[in-house]
Amino acid sequence: MILISGLLPLLGVVLLHLATPTQAFYLPGLAPVNFCKKTDVSSTCKSEILLYVNRLNTEESVIPYEYHHFDFCLGEEQNSPVENLGQVVFGERIRPGPYKIQFLENQQCATTCVKTYKGDDPASNRRMMVLKKGISLNYQHHWIVDNMPVTWCYPLENGKQYCGIGFPMGCLVRSDGEGCPINSIYNQPMHYYPFNHVDLEITYHSGQSEDWGIQFGNSGRIISVKVTPKSIKHTDKENPNCLSTEPLAISENSLKAGEQLEIVYTYSVKFLKNDSIKWSSRWDYILESMPHTNIQWFSILNSLVIVLFLSGMVAMIMLRTLHKDIARYNQMDSGEDAQEEFGWKLVHGDVFRPPRKGMLLSVFLGSGVQVLVMAMITLAFACLGFLSPANRGALMTCSMVLFVSLGTPAGYVSARIYKSFGGLKWKSNVILTSIVCPGVVFSLFFVMNLVLWGENSSGAVPFSTLIALLALWFGVSVPLTFVGAYFGFRKRALEHPVRTNQIPRQIPDQSIYTQPIPGIVMGGVLPFGCIFIQLFFILSSLWSSQIYYMFGFLFLVFVILVITCSETTILLCYFHLCAEDYHWWWRSFLTSGFTAVYLFIYCCHYFVTKLSIKDSASTFLYFGYTAIMVFLFFLLTGTIGFFACFWFIRKIYSVVKVD
């Protein structure tokens, strides 16, 4: 069911496009919803506005929790929507909220529920401790209305307004008076202020002058929902006063025996009409208010120009130098050939000598092709708008389904490379290709999941989903890998342009610049230089609940990454061949693959400078998930560099005359 729900959006787009000749084209699940007053409800509009609550998270911990973990008022959780595979893996748990909202019906200080805590009740004390811990760690609510995030907007120091997709469950004033900048009345040191009241402001685009709303009296489409959280001490739970300015302050000390505390949760709803904003533009106010947006545009363009310039320089030097080399080698007389051979032509009898650990290299290359094609197709879909932030979980679902479905090219490439090495253990090659790299990722993911289970986190993937992932792996990916390997081993081995000598040539002493380790370390600098700006925004979307939406620029950066990895690896490979070092197989893979090491270093820098994580479990989870990302990026960049170098070497030795 989870896999089907993840595939339906992609399949539905094609079917809808082919079968429905309409003027407007909407992605499945992302079409506008018409709302009207309760008296005008019909099959084309509805009056009830459903508010959904999602998991709570914080920048001070990697561990998310479900809404009911913190003893809030609950809705009818049995009517929860079905999450797709990507949402489950990312830990999203969407549940119906307890708020009753009807279109164009303003509400003032409606009571949601009353929570009572008693000092002599151990269960009550535990619930209070969990609530206080969530407030102290600044856990954030994430609500959804009409598939739009409920935003909390507040002014910044520069005078602009920032609208975030989460809002805090409360705040703690520390002993120094810091911790609650939202309102100056929250000022009692070492007191917790739970936000037990929310003002919801729902803005809609009226349908009175639109084709879709003429038949209704008062209709509209929601374009934004903004929340203002408050802490209010309601002295009368039967008749709460939401205009009161006295906040609800809870001491850091536990309730004593006989003491009782009541938290009355209330909400108000106000509707605003705004016909200047169309439904199709309703995300703009969130994206435009994101911090560093202008810096991001300038930095990305600047990075692209620099990297393109460097790539052009590298390509020009390579083509010019190679042209001279090939012309000089081919003009030599055959009688002087033995005395005049030098540079990269001298190692023509050893350049295609199979490497050590050829089995492992072929396995890495097969899995690397799998990741590379998955990344290309996913980015293409994202650029076309199929995987927008509004289509929740679609990006992760698409990536996982594609990775599983691309077992055939992984098996084919691995088999072809391994056979070209003269390998005979084809069964081991197929099994390792289908098991090793996916096994590393799944093992790390499983260990992370055990930690999340131990913390009772909503991020823990259910056991049934783990079984579904294993079924996808062994039921789909492994058989497809065997199919690809079958066709790969059936084909003739790759014929190299020059023969390999029986006796290996001795490699002369190398300078420090042409030794393996310095070359590998230098090889990752330029590729990393073209992605590090994007990395900040990608990591912010993963760990700081920021929305990532610039897939067009990301696709351009990905193309530049491919070009840069290829040219850097070819350049260093050429220098090593000119120094008569023919051990290029593993070096070409590791040269561009070393970009992943710089990625890991940057992730460590982000952890120290941007996050406030202190507990050991969150630290372990952060670096565990980072290890998965770095490993996949290592396979991706290493494969790009290897095949670029492989093509280059076959090309230059096929055009030069060798006796």
Side-chain angles (χ1 to χ4, degrees), residues 64-77:
Y65 289 104
E66 266 200 79
Y67 184 77
H68 60 240
H69 178 80
F70 292 105
D71 194 37
F72 296 127
C73 305
L74 302 180
E76 298 176 355
E77 295 199 350

Side-chain angles (χ1 to χ4, degrees), residues 516-656:
I517 293 179
I520 290 171
V521 172
M522 288 188 297
V525 173
L526 192 57
F528 178 76
C530 74
I531 65 167
F532 81 96
I533 297 172
Q534 282 291 328
L535 273 179
F536 171 78
F537 298 100
I538 292 173
L539 293 177
S540 295
S541 70
L542 289 174
W543 306 115
S544 301
S545 299
Q546 299 281 348
I547 296 177
Y548 189 87
Y549 64 99
M550 300 184 70
F551 291 107
F553 272 114
L554 184 61
F555 187 79
L556 286 176
V557 169
F558 179 76
V559 172
I560 295 298
L561 174 67
V562 172
I563 295 171
T564 312
C565 283
S566 303
E567 291 183 346
T568 305
T569 308
I570 288 172
L571 184 64
L572 292 172
C573 180
Y574 173 74
F575 289 154
H576 288 119
L577 290 177
C578 289
E580 301 177 23
D581 186 352
Y582 52 83
H583 291 154
W584 65 272
W585 299 95
W586 271 107
R587 187 178 295 161
S588 63
F589 186 87
L590 296 175
T591 297
S592 55
F594 201 81
T595 311
V597 176
Y598 293 109
L599 171 63
F600 178 75
I601 295 172
Y602 185 84
C603 289
C604 295
H605 167 76
Y606 184 87
F607 177 83
V608 173
T609 59
K610 301 298 180 183
L611 299 179
S612 305
I613 295 174
K614 297 180 177 63
D615 62 298
S616 57
S618 294
T619 303
F620 180 77
L621 288 169
Y622 177 87
F623 285 102
Y625 288 125
T626 298
I628 295 176
M629 184 168 60
V630 168
F631 178 67
L632 293 175
F633 192 73
F634 168 71
L635 295 176
L636 171 73
T637 51
T639 300
I640 294 169
F642 175 87
F643 281 108
C645 196
F646 188 54
W647 169 84
F648 170 75
I649 289 178
R650 286 176 62 86
K651 193 72 175 175
I652 63 173
Y653 282 100
S654 64
V655 297
V656 72

Side-chain angles (χ1 to χ4, degrees), residues 11 103 197 211 216 225 255-256 469 484 531 577:
L11 180 62
F103 186 67
H197 175 81
D211 294 339
F216 310 119
V225 181
L255 293 174
K256 298 178 181 179
L469 291 174
I531 65 167
L577 290 177

Side-chain angles (χ1 to χ4, degrees), residues 176-194:
D176 57 1
E178 297 292 331
C180 264
I182 298 173
N183 197 322
S184 58
I185 63 174
Y186 309 149
N187 53 19
Q188 282 187 264
M190 300 313 297
H191 276 72
Y192 297 85
Y193 292 89

Side-chain angles (χ1 to χ4, degrees), residues 206-459:
S206 175
Q208 290 181 338
S209 58
E210 304 286 349
D211 294 339
W212 48 266
I214 290 177
Q215 65 268 38
F216 310 119
N218 282 312
S219 63
R221 291 175 176 176
I222 294 175
I223 55 176
S224 73
V225 181
K226 299 179 181 179
V227 63
T228 303
K230 296 178 181 178
S231 178
I232 300 176
K233 184 177 183 180
H234 296 294
T235 54
D236 184 0
K237 65 180 180 180
E238 300 297 332
N239 297 295
N241 178 18
C242 297
L243 299 178
S244 171
T245 57
E246 184 181 0
L248 175 62
I250 302 175
S251 171
E252 65 169 338
N253 301 320
S254 302
L255 293 174
K256 298 178 181 179
E259 282 188 327
Q260 179 174 307
L261 172 67
E262 289 185 337
I263 300 180
V264 182
Y265 288 92
T266 56
Y267 68 101
S268 299
V269 181
K270 181 173 66 173
F271 285 86
L272 295 177
K273 179 180 174 181
N274 187 344
D275 289 342
S276 63
I277 301 176
K278 297 288 187 182
W279 182 88
S280 57
S281 305
R282 61 181 188 161
W283 282 79
D284 291 358
Y285 84 99
I286 302 176
L287 304 180
E288 290 171 358
S289 71
M290 289 177 62
H292 313 298
T293 303
N294 294 329
I295 298 173
Q296 182 178 6
W297 283 82
F298 175 77
S299 301
I300 291 171
L301 288 172
N302 188 49
S303 176
L304 288 173
V305 170
I306 292 174
V307 173
L308 282 171
F309 175 75
L310 291 174
S311 300
M313 292 292 293
V314 170
M316 186 177 68
I317 293 170
M318 290 298 302
L319 291 173
R320 189 174 180 182
T321 308
L322 268 179
H323 180 73
K324 287 184 177 180
D325 282 351
I326 292 171
R328 185 168 65 250
Y329 289 150
N330 289 337
Q331 287 172 0
M332 288 178 181
D333 296 330
S334 58
E336 301 174 357
D337 205 20
Q339 289 80 21
E340 295 291 337
E341 276 192 358
F342 63 92
W344 54 267
K345 187 183 177 185
L346 199 60
V347 295
H348 65 79
D350 298 275
V351 73
F352 290 106
R353 189 176 302 282
R356 296 177 181 176
K357 308 292 183 183
M359 173 76 82
L360 182 62
L361 180 59
S362 64
V363 168
F364 279 176
L365 290 171
S367 296
V369 167
Q370 198 172 2
V371 176
L372 175 62
V373 178
M374 176 202 74
M376 291 174 61
I377 298 176
T378 302
L379 282 175
F381 274 121
C383 288
L384 293 173
F386 293 100
L387 309 178
S388 70
N391 202 351
R392 303 175 191 284
L395 185 69
M396 190 63 170
T397 302
C398 179
S399 300
M400 297 182 73
V401 171
L402 281 173
F403 184 83
V404 168
S405 305
L406 290 169
T408 302
Y412 180 83
V413 169
S414 179
R416 291 280 282 161
I417 296 295
Y418 181 66
K419 191 173 183 179
S420 73
F421 293 160
L424 301 175
K425 299 178 181 179
W426 63 270
K427 293 181 181 177
S428 301
N429 176 259
V430 179
I431 294 173
L432 290 175
T433 303
S434 58
I435 297 296
V436 171
C437 295
V440 169
V441 174
F442 185 83
S443 299
L444 287 170
F445 180 76
F446 183 73
V447 172
M448 302 301 107
N449 208 51
L450 289 177
V451 176
L452 290 170
W453 269 339
E455 297 288 337
N456 294 319
S457 169
S458 68

